[in-house]
Amino acid sequence: MGVTGSPTNIQQRSKTKGGIGESTLRPDGTLKVTGEFAYSSDMWHEDMLWGFTLRSTTAHAEIKSIDVSEALATSGVYSVLTYDDLPTEMKNYGLEIQDTPVLAHGKVRHHGEPVAIVAADHPETARRAAAKIKIEYVELPVITDEASATGPDALLIHEGRDDHHIGHVPHPNIVHRQPVIRGDADEAAKRADIIVSGDYVFGMQDQAFLGPESGLAVPAEDGGVDLYVATQWLHSDLRQIAPVLGLPEDKVRMTLSGVGGAFGGREDLSMQIHACLLALRTGKPVKIVYNRFESFFGHVHRHPAKLHYEHGVTKDGKLTHMKCRIVLDGGAYASASPAVVGNAASLAVGPYVIEDVDIEAVALYTNNPPCGAMRGFGAVQACFAYEAQMDKLAAKLDMDPVEFRQLNAMEQGTLLPTGQACDSPAPVAELLRLVKSRPLPPEQQWLSAGEDADVRALPGGLSNTTHGEGVVRGVGYAVGLKNVGFSEGFDDYSTARVRMEIINGEPVATVHTAMAEVGQGGVTVHAQIVRTELGVNQVTIHPADTQVGSAGSTSASRQTYMTGGAVKNTAEAVREKVLEIGRAKLGTYHPAWATAELLLEGGKVVTDGGEVLADLVDVLEDEAVDLELEWRHRPTVAFDLVTGQGDGHVQYSFAAHRAVVEVDTELGLVKVIELAVAQDVGKALNPLSVVGQIQGGTTQGLGVAVMEEIIVDPKTARVRNPSFTDYLIPTILDTPTIPVDVLELADEHAPYGLRGIGEAPTLSSTPAVLAAIRNATGLELNRTPVRPEHLTAT
Amino acid sequence: MRVNFTVNGRPQEADDVWEGESLLYVLRERMGLPGSKNACEQGECGSCTVRLDGVPVCSCLVAAGQAEGREIVTVEGLADYAKHREGAHPGTGCGSSGCGTSLDDAKRWQSKPTDGRSGETRELSPIQQAFIDAGAVQCGFCTPGLLVAADELLEQNDSPSDADIREALSGNLCRCTGYEKILDAVRLAAARQEETV
Ligand code: FES
Ligand code: FES
């Protein structure tokens, strides 16, 4: 090392620990394990009231009258509000289309729609008062499927629709329609030696995050309101809340409070406006916490879908064409349906090379529960169907299902059906190879412990339904293709503020963004990025609030890419500023200040050759560098509404699964033995979190394969199972070991080469489990979730 | 009604408790101990698990009156409880004012680079530390209930098999992790426990 002329001592270069690529632990971990982490349902304020929402008991009805007098007269009740009490002309909200009433007016369109809200001094008082509200309904016929929605006499769910999709849909009860046409599928079909078609049904899945919808609204002296709430996108909430309250956006100050999971279910508003209305009306802080029953009505679900697919292949196994029609049930309000349609259509072909395609995806308006965003967003339903098709095709060709997929796998450079080239690595064949080459778990593990069967390892578990008789094993594979980030020309940006200063003789950086940490670990990664770029050990993560620019949504696998990218970009700008200050103060002491590439590492300014020029403490002294910048990914365009062509997506991500199952064919019970997964993450900024996300996503896919479904009565459109007793999510006994292989093939367009990871593992997990069950039983199984009666043919 | 009980080693009393209030509600809303979570309030998810006279229970299913005169340990008192496991007097955990969350708790998270340990220098029980180290905490909403259940498992069985762990934690739902890292955490805590014995 050369001699430096800097006024500080000559020191060894010390690498900053805890940068990207390391499995740094969560900054909020200690608070979360001690019970001190403040989730939205934990908020408390002196003198606060409790809000409660009265919901419709019917799915489609005119509201004749609402009488709140008895509720209002209840002792302990402070306020009861209905539609008539809304303060402005803006009485609806919505992510894309403002069709969702804050409180029902004129009509209710789905079971569980909010009709009135109550504030009282005890949650039970509020609940009992709400029960005294009298509503007179005149029932209307319910629309529950495509036939009833678009039939000749169909009632319109939304009369007088005037959104921008209306011009492009064949019927007003269709929210949005997106075709994707490329080549000539009919012509290409003539080249096929074998044509396989199938009809598939995907059930309605629920996000079932554990932390209930909740928050606290505190009226402020300036006439505004402070809202502490669990959400996925503070600024999107703000944009929808402020106009309904009749307040300018700067008078609605939002702070993220602890979020107990989201998975898309917190993209739409739930109790936000209700709590603010009650707080502003009563002049007191109001807390609303949904119970689990309400939570099932309080957020949108995953679109149930009906899918028809046709594929052709030549004798030597090359796909010739694909035609499909995907009908998504959007329920009573639009929510994210238009974007889900765009995703389903543009990703309908999956990770395969098929030049001639004819695709149509639509979302319906019905009286079923509203559906919107959930992990995998439109790509999940398609993946379930095209992967079933791949297995059918392979079987017809008498080919190995993995080899067949590999033969047709897309790769870097492949044109997708939208005409967009995949310009980053697409290791589809390699991911399949990875899961396939893992050793299979030993057969009949329930016997390996000794002679007596360990019933815990069998389908049915401790309920002791079998000792191994009639238990058969199957293995299945699947792979999926998901886009990352918001597509179709959306101005998707994120903002980060990064500050660097000297505190107690140490350089400290603070990161302030509006990113919703919903459990995914963004806060961990932000600190890692700042350490990498600014070479400081101490990083403080400022609470997310609306005092800083939008970070966009924590969804679409985009936050590490987008807000991570914004933090990186801003930190780089801070670094430049710091170096500028350094040059001005100390530049004359060493020529490297002017000539070398300089870095910040271990609290020092160093040259790229590793020479230490200065301590940050001496560079900054009592100056602080503080910058807030917006950051965007490369632009996308909207898909053509007739052909579906256009460079609509930012980035793609890929995952493959191999499922091993055992099925008790007598009782129709399934035990998933192992669910191996391989995923390309571009660059693992935090390997521990990456694996955690992949395992979590895999488990949600497993859930919808074998148990999770919101059941809606087809005659009344009422939800039958809004509870954790009846809506089942996988327990630790239902979830197998999930070995994970992580590939890191950098995407040169993304920060650090990373790829969004949150959603891809949810896609292929479901079809892999289904394929394994088919392999075990020989049954066709075209619907998910699989229920015992499907396996025993009763 | 008035209810008297011991929470995390401290005698407490709650006044004006409604007949229908659950132990969970009283802990969270009257004692200022929101660590036990309210994910379903139906006895299905285990997020509200506390120990009642040593036995793990869903506090959402326990009527507050049933806790009269009994000892309760919540996640807030877990570190202390684990420390005093052998002793007769489970410690001096948080009282009604010592912990819990109020509005000014929009906390800043100090993020430090880690060499195996994270967060502030606080004493954690082995299972708490293992959950952090193994990456078993994502959103963390299931964590308090899982910790109480897992701590009891390790108290009963210091080297549980995977099947034992799965059985013991089968009443606790987690929607984020896929459970693999939760298994890792319990294995890790068990292994560390063995090392120190
Ligand atoms: S909150 Fe008690 S079991 Fe779910
Ligand atoms: S429910 Fe989120 S970490 Fe378990």
Side-chain angles (χ1 to χ4, degrees):
Chain A
M1 184 180 282
V3 179
T4 75
S6 102
T8 53
N9 300 329
I10 299 165
Q11 290 152 326
Q12 290 301 309
R13 178 180 186 181
S14 67
K15 271 264 176 209
T16 322
K17 284 213 187 75
I20 61 159
E22 291 180 39
S23 287
T24 311
L25 301 179
R26 303 187 66 96
D28 54 4
T30 304
L31 292 173
K32 283 180 173 177
V33 299
T34 53
E36 288 164 84
F37 184 78
Y39 292 92
S40 56
S41 57
D42 301 336
M43 293 288 152
W44 183 87
H45 200 288
E46 216 170 314
D47 206 22
M48 77 182 185
L49 302 176
W50 291 79
F52 184 76
T53 315
L54 179 74
R55 293 169 185 277
S56 73
T57 50
T58 179
H60 202 194
E62 266 172 45
I63 299 175
K64 270 282 182 235
S65 64
I66 307 179
D67 176 4
V68 302
S69 51
E70 212 181 309
L72 205 47
T74 308
S75 122
V77 168
Y78 282 72
S79 179
V80 182
L81 304 179
T82 68
Y83 168 77
D84 288 332
D85 302 300
L86 295 178
T88 75
E89 281 314 299
M90 190 65 182
K91 297 177 195 296
N92 287 357
Y93 66 90
L95 285 175
E96 258 186 87
I97 301 174
Q98 281 72 51
D99 63 1
T100 313
V102 173
L103 292 165
H105 47 96
K107 268 209 230 187
V108 294
R109 296 182 179 84
H110 69 91
H111 180 205
E113 181 163 350
V115 182
I117 44 177
V118 180
D121 57 7
H122 191 285
E124 192 55 30
T125 309
R127 226 166 279 149
R128 289 181 189 181
K132 293 183 194 161
I133 298 173
K134 291 191 195 72
I135 308 174
E136 233 185 303
Y137 291 115
V138 181
E139 299 275 345
L140 296 167
V142 291
I143 289 169
T144 55
D145 58 10
E146 188 174 23
S148 56
T150 60
D153 309 320
L155 287 179
L156 298 190
I157 304 274
H158 297 275
E159 303 99 339
R161 257 186 89 179
D162 60 356
D163 60 85
H164 63 283
H165 298 283
I166 184 75
H168 305 286
V169 294
H171 190 286
N173 281 344
I174 291 178
V175 187
H176 183 44
R177 170 177 182 270
Q178 178 69 62
V180 179
I181 316 281
R182 191 163 180 83
D184 186 336
D186 287 323
E187 196 50 40
K190 294 180 187 156
R191 287 188 281 114
D193 295 310
I194 298 167
I195 290 183
V196 160
S197 54
D199 287 287
Y200 303 92
V201 175
F202 198 102
M204 187 186 291
Q205 191 182 12
D206 189 71
Q207 296 83 355
F209 42 75
L210 286 201
E213 286 90 343
S214 44
L216 175 69
V218 185
E221 276 177 10
D222 65 355
V225 61
D226 289 279
L227 179 62
Y228 301 80
V229 72
T231 178
Q232 286 177 244
W233 186 357
L234 288 166
H235 287 81
S236 161
D237 285 10
L238 175 63
R239 184 171 47 77
Q240 297 172 78
I241 296 168
V244 176
L245 301 178
L247 290 172
E249 287 190 0
D250 61 0
K251 285 210 171 167
V252 181
R253 290 158 296 254
M254 296 188 60
T255 305
L256 186 76
S257 49
V259 186
F263 317 114
R266 299 187 205 266
E267 259 190 41
D268 297 74
L269 297 177
S270 57
M271 43 57 65
Q272 285 89 331
I273 299 176
H274 297 162
C276 291
L277 285 169
L278 290 170
L280 290 167
R281 178 61 75 104
T282 59
K284 283 170 173 283
V286 174
K287 170 169 166 171
I288 296 184
V289 181
Y290 287 177
N291 58 34
R292 185 51 54 179
F293 176 81
E294 279 197 277
S295 178
F296 275 98
F297 294 109
H299 60 257
V300 300
H301 315 290
R302 183 188 306 291
H303 288 75
K306 293 201 165 109
L307 310 97
H308 177 80
Y309 265 76
E310 175 190 304
H311 283 89
V313 273
T314 57
K315 275 197 300 289
D316 50 2
K318 275 286 183 189
L319 288 163
T320 54
H321 74 286
M322 184 275 263
K323 295 186 197 177
C324 78
R325 184 155 192 279
I326 301 174
V327 180
L328 302 154
D329 187 342
Y333 297 106
S335 178
S337 282
V340 171
V341 166
N343 258 24
S346 60
L347 303 171
V349 73
Y352 301 108
V353 181
I354 311 180
E355 273 153 27
D356 298 273
V357 299
D358 184 346
I359 298 164
E360 180 191 17
V362 298
L364 307 170
Y365 274 127
T366 66
N367 294 117
N368 291 324
C371 289
M374 181 173 173
R375 198 175 200 166
F377 204 82
V380 161
Q381 295 90 331
C383 185
F384 171 66
Y386 63 67
E387 286 301 86
Q389 287 281 105
M390 291 304 123
D391 285 335
K392 277 194 200 176
L393 288 159
K396 288 261 186 200
L397 289 161
D398 207 16
M399 266 182 92
D400 176 87
V402 169
E403 276 168 37
F404 173 68
R405 286 175 170 85
Q406 288 170 327
L407 183 65
N408 291 287
M410 68 178 280
E411 35 191 44
Q412 181 157 6
T414 298
L415 282 195
L416 288 145
T418 52
Q420 183 167 14
C422 177
D423 60 1
S424 60
V428 179
E430 174 61 7
L431 292 169
L432 284 161
R433 192 193 65 75
L434 281 170
V435 287
K436 192 183 177 187
S437 60
R438 278 191 172 271
L440 282 163
E443 300 261 353
Q444 306 202 321
Q445 286 187 76
W446 66 85
L447 282 180
S448 58
E451 305 94 71
D452 281 338
D454 181 352
V455 291
R456 295 182 297 190
L458 279 160
L462 276 177
S463 47
N464 204 14
T465 51
T466 178
H467 286 244
E469 328 78 54
V471 173
V472 289
R473 171 179 280 207
V475 180
Y477 294 87
V479 60
L481 165 69
K482 177 71 184 62
N483 62 324
V484 171
F486 283 6
S487 300
E488 298 190 55
F490 190 86
D491 181 21
D492 194 10
Y493 70 93
S494 184
T495 316
R497 182 167 175 189
V498 177
R499 179 184 171 89
M500 178 138 102
E501 66 202 304
I502 307 300
I503 299 177
N504 299 331
E506 257 205 85
V508 175
T510 306
V511 187
H512 187 183
T513 74
M515 176 201 68
E517 167 63 44
V518 303
Q520 84 279 18
V523 289
T524 322
V525 158
H526 289 177
Q528 291 179 265
I529 292 172
V530 166
R531 277 191 212 107
T532 301
E533 301 302 335
L534 295 180
V536 298
N537 283 314
Q538 296 286 343
V539 183
T540 300
I541 308 295
H542 193 279
D545 57 31
T546 50
Q547 309 299 309
V548 62
S550 175
S553 183
T554 301
S555 57
S557 309
R558 69 180 278 292
Q559 267 313 12
T560 304
Y561 191 128
M562 293 305 300
T563 305
V567 170
K568 174 175 189 275
N569 188 46
T570 310
E572 284 167 348
V574 167
R575 183 176 66 213
E576 283 319 308
K577 206 69 203 256
V578 170
L579 291 175
E580 242 173 64
I581 296 171
R583 269 183 212 109
K585 269 192 200 157
L586 309 167
T588 52
Y589 290 95
H590 195 290
W593 275 107
T595 55
E597 185 82 21
L598 300 182
L599 307 169
L600 306 186
E601 251 176 33
K604 301 181 175 40
V605 179
V606 299
T607 67
D608 55 354
E611 215 175 331
V612 176
L613 294 189
D615 246 316
L616 285 176
V617 177
D618 300 314
V619 173
L620 282 176
E621 294 171 309
D622 44 18
E623 260 182 275
V625 177
D626 193 331
L627 294 174
E628 178 177 327
L629 296 175
E630 276 178 13
W631 188 79
R632 283 174 167 73
H633 58 64
R634 54 183 170 160
T636 60
V637 300
F639 298 126
D640 183 273
L641 284 165
V642 177
T643 64
Q645 299 300 294
D647 289 358
H649 295 311
V650 183
Q651 186 190 54
Y652 298 100
S653 70
F654 306 89
H657 280 89
R658 180 189 71 195
V660 181
V661 305
E662 279 165 358
V663 183
D664 175 354
T665 51
E666 288 167 355
L667 288 173
L669 300 174
V670 176
K671 173 139 186 121
V672 183
I673 301 296
E674 190 197 79
L675 203 38
V677 50
Q679 184 167 342
D680 175 22
V681 304
K683 164 79 187 166
L685 297 200
N686 186 308
L688 187 70
S689 309
V690 162
V691 170
Q693 282 294 304
I694 294 174
Q695 289 169 334
T698 296
T699 305
Q700 290 191 340
L702 158 74
V704 80
V706 295
M707 61 182 77
E708 291 186 36
E709 184 176 13
I710 293 191
I711 300 182
V712 183
D713 186 318
K715 289 205 189 70
T716 61
R718 286 202 181 95
V719 180
R720 282 179 173 164
N721 57 341
S723 73
F724 275 171
T725 314
D726 298 309
Y727 182 91
L728 303 178
I729 72 173
T731 69
I732 197 168
L733 283 174
D734 303 307
T735 309
T737 47
I738 306 174
V740 179
D741 277 310
V742 173
L743 278 186
E744 294 186 79
L745 305 180
D747 174 356
E748 57 171 289
H749 311 287
Y752 303 116
L754 69 83
R755 241 176 235 284
I757 50 171
E759 296 172 286
T762 313
L763 268 63
S764 44
S765 162
T766 312
V769 171
L770 263 285
I773 302 173
R774 289 187 198 109
N775 181 246
T777 61
L779 296 166
E780 194 156 326
L781 306 174
N782 286 340
R783 130 177 257 293
T784 194
V786 173
R787 300 207 200 95
E789 61 265 33
H790 304 141
L791 296 173
T792 56
T794 52
Chain B
M1 63 179 171
R2 166 178 292 190
V3 185
N4 297 285
F5 44 22
T6 306
V7 185
N8 298 331
R10 259 191 207 180
Q12 299 279 4
E13 57 176 48
D15 275 322
D16 303 323
V17 174
W18 281 34
E19 298 293 324
E21 273 175 28
S22 66
L23 174 58
L24 177 64
Y25 182 89
V26 170
L27 289 170
R28 288 176 53 78
E29 306 298 340
R30 296 186 183 275
M31 303 280 101
L33 292 171
S36 312
K37 292 293 166 240
N38 53 331
C40 74
E41 300 178 73
Q42 292 171 315
E44 295 289 347
C45 73
S47 309
C48 62
T49 307
V50 301
R51 293 183 72 166
L52 184 60
D53 288 345
V55 180
V57 296
C58 292
S59 61
C60 69
L61 292 186
V62 175
Q66 283 176 283
E68 176 66 39
R70 301 172 76 175
E71 295 237 1
I72 291 137
V73 178
T74 71
V75 70
E76 286 98 338
L78 200 63
D80 239 18
Y81 186 79
K83 202 157 125 202
H84 294 81
R85 206 181 300 284
E86 305 311 320
H89 306 290
T92 50
C94 304
S96 54
S97 56
C99 61
T101 20
S102 66
L103 208 48
D104 51 332
D105 282 335
K107 286 194 168 91
R108 285 172 175 236
W109 299 319
Q110 271 282 344
S111 176
K112 295 174 191 149
T114 48
D115 306 304
R117 295 282 147 135
S118 91
E120 304 100 85
T121 41
R122 279 203 50 160
E123 227 177 302
L124 299 176
S125 70
I127 190 69
Q128 286 171 318
Q129 190 63 53
F131 261 62
I132 296 176
D133 295 343
V137 181
Q138 290 188 14
C139 85
F141 210 79
C142 64
T143 305
L146 275 162
L147 288 170
V148 173
D151 183 65
E152 199 256 358
L153 165 70
L154 292 173
E155 184 181 294
Q156 305 295 330
N157 180 351
D158 50 19
S159 57
S161 67
D162 284 2
D164 295 334
I165 300 171
R166 288 183 190 275
E167 201 178 324
L169 302 184
S170 62
N172 293 77
L173 296 177
C174 171
R175 188 55 158 170
C176 300
T177 63
Y179 302 106
E180 195 87 330
K181 300 215 170 294
I182 291 170
L183 278 160
D184 286 346
V186 181
R187 292 181 196 123
L188 180 64
R192 285 181 180 163
Q193 209 162 288
E194 230 156 73
E195 267 168 34
T196 55
V197 173

